[in-house]
């Protein structure tokens, strides 16, 4: 089987590529990535020499390039992760999210439609999406696969749109498609614009840790390797047309999560208790900030026997250990453009 994985040099994509390359030596894995600020080939150093792995640099927004790639390579399946993924960036540059997340996805769907004609049943288009398409929850309920879409940020609106296109290609052209919508991931190789790696990096460097609003927003955190394992299961076992929600049953208010992180960091860095917590700084809230996300993953648990493998505290410790042991990676991704981004994003808050 020849599988095109898009966005494989990013955070989740690199874990999916690593899992597939190592678990299925009989498959050929082609990683297509534009290498934006979020894509980094250092995320895949340990698999880059493997026989069953190949990297292709390219942009999914370039329809001619995508068409040619499908013409040249006889793909059996696509696992599509390439996206602009950061809500704050979507607030300042929404059009980039429309281009990559919507137009890029439609380009891939068009190529699949053109080159897989008549053989849809043996092919598979796996679209990796987010729980943010469902909007924000109050205090009680959870997102199920039947929850209506109600996206609020340009990021979630673009992901919702791409989900609709995937379903439309399934309904209209019979494409063999599956979609999963996952909650917030955390783990190694996570770009430090997102809350957990940003906080780890700032605490390590004794810099203020920005908390939006009052820190009351709730996210449901899942270890990234558990997400990659769910993608593997769904890719191989789900029926065409199925959607699965993936989540950690692990809800945390941002402020409680960051306080826990500070406590563990104090211990790991040999600081006096409470030292890291003094870095917490409440800043202006994110516009349109969704209050709460929580995933009901019982369908995935029941149908395919998946469940999260790690307790959150264990996963957080592993993650912090990884960041502390991989200073070069962290310094590499936080030099240059990151400094400009950080100043623009946080100086006015
Ligand atoms: P990421 O930002 O870390 O990585 C995205 C990757 O896509 C990068 O390697 C980037 O270079 C590549 N890319 C961006 N634009 C491209 C283009 N035009 N052409 C080719 N490649 C391009 O993102 P992530 O956090 O790893 O998320 C991966 C996928 O999972 C996304 O589709 C995202 O919506 C979804 N998701 C993420 C989370 C999360 O918590 N991070 C949760 C649920 C779903
Ligand atoms: P983030 O990691 O950006 O993921 P998402 O917005 O996709 O859920 O943010 C997680 C939560 O943390 C969200 O409620 C916003 C909040 N947050 C902060 O409080 N401070 C920050 O500097 C960042 C990046 C996020």
């Amino acid at each position: 089987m020849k599988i095109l994985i898009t966005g494989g040099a990013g955070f989740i994509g690199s874990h999916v590529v690593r899992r597939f390359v190592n678990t299925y030596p009989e498959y050929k894995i082609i990683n297509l990535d534009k290498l934006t600020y979020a894509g980094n080939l250092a995320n895949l150093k340990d698999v880059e020499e493997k026989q069953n792995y190949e990297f292709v640099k390219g942009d999914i927004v370039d329809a001619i390039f995508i068409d040619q790639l499908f013409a040249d390579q006889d793909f059996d399946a696509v696992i599509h992760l390439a996206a602009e993924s950061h809500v704050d960036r979507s607030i300042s540059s929404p059009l980039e999210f429309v281009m990559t997340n919507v137009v890029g996805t439609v380009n891939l769907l068009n190529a699949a439609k053109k080159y897989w004609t008549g053989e849809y049943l043996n092919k598979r288009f796996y679209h990796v999406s987010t729980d943010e398409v469902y909007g924000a929850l109050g205090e009680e309920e959870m997102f199920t696969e039947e929850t209506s879409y109600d996206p609020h940020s340009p990021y979630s609106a673009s992901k919702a749109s791409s989900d609709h296109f995937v379903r439309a290609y399934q309904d209209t052209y019979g494409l063999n498609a599956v979609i999963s919508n996952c909650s917030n991931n955390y783990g190694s190789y996570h770009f430090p614009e997102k809350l957990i790696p940003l906080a780890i990096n700032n605490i390590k460097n004794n810099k203020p840790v920005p908390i939006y609003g009052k820190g009351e927003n709730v996210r449901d955190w899942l270890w990234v390797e558990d997400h990659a394992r769910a993608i593997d299961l769904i890719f191989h076992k789900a029926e065409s047309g199925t959607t699965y929600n993936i989540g950690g049953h692990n809800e945390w208010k941002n402020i409680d999560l960051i306080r826990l992180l500070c406590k563990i960091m104090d211990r790991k860095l040999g600081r006096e208790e409470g030292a890291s917590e003094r870095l917490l700084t409440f800043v202006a809230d994110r516009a349109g900030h969704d209050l709460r996300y929580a995933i009901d993953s019982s369908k995935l648990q029941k149908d395919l026997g998946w469940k999260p493998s790690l307790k959150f505290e264990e996963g957080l410790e592993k993650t912090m250990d990884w960041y502390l042991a991989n200073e070069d990676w962290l310094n590499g991704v936080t030099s240059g453009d990151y400094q400009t981004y950080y100043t623009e994003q946080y100086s006015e808050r």
Side-chain angles (χ1 to χ4, degrees), residues 30 47 51 60 89 105 203 207 224 252 294 296 299 339:
I30 317 281
V47 297
Q51 290 292 317
I60 59 169
R89 289 187 194 249
T105 301
I203 292 169
K207 279 177 56 179
V224 63
W252 285 80
D296 176 353
K299 179 177 168 192
Q339 297 302 330

Side-chain angles (χ1 to χ4, degrees), residues 325-346:
N326 287 276
E327 276 206 324
D328 287 351
W329 184 91
L330 197 52
N331 293 338
V333 300
T334 54
S335 59
D337 288 352
Y338 180 82
Q339 297 302 330
T340 316
Y341 161 78
Y342 198 91
T343 310
E344 281 173 6
Q345 183 62 35
Y346 291 98

Side-chain angles (χ1 to χ4, degrees), residues 73 76 79 99 102 117 129-130 177 189 219 232 236 239 250 259 283 285 300 312-313 321 337:
Q73 308 250 14
D76 295 295
I79 304 179
M99 295 312 292
V102 186
T117 310
S129 192
T130 167
Y189 302 106
R219 296 292 182 264
D232 184 347
H236 287 99
E239 278 181 32
N250 178 42
R259 285 201 172 116
V283 300
D285 207 351
L300 178 61
F312 188 48
E313 285 77 355
D321 288 341
D337 288 352

Side-chain angles (χ1 to χ4, degrees), residues 6-14 32-40 43 58-62 80-86 99-101 104 127-132 155 159 180-186 189-191 193-194 221 227:
T6 70
F11 166 47
I12 301 171
S14 63
L32 165 66
D33 200 295
K34 184 182 171 184
L35 299 182
T36 67
Y37 76 93
N40 188 352
N43 297 2
D59 187 346
I60 59 169
V61 177
D62 182 345
H80 175 37
L81 296 107
E84 287 293 335
S85 68
H86 190 36
M99 295 312 292
T100 288
N101 299 1
H127 180 59
V128 176
S129 192
T130 167
D131 62 352
E132 304 193 24
Y155 164 64
K159 291 297 290 187
S180 58
N181 298 82
C182 189
S183 62
N184 287 63
N185 285 215
Y186 71 95
Y189 302 106
H190 203 183
F191 193 78
E193 63 185 352
K194 308 278 171 62
W221 294 94
H227 186 188

Side-chain angles (χ1 to χ4, degrees), residues 239-286:
E239 278 181 32
S240 175
T242 323
T243 293
Y244 281 104
N245 280 356
I246 312 171
H249 279 284
N250 178 42
E251 291 180 50
W252 285 80
K253 269 189 189 165
N254 292 339
I255 186 68
D256 296 337
L257 160 60
I258 296 302
R259 285 201 172 116
L260 170 65
L261 203 137
C262 286
K263 232 172 154 171
I264 309 177
M265 286 294 276
D266 281 345
R267 174 160 51 76
K268 292 203 181 287
L269 296 171
R271 292 183 183 162
E272 62 163 304
E273 216 183 303
S276 299
E277 212 175 299
R278 284 197 282 280
L279 297 169
L280 300 198
T281 309
F282 291 91
V283 300
D285 207 351
R286 173 186 279 172

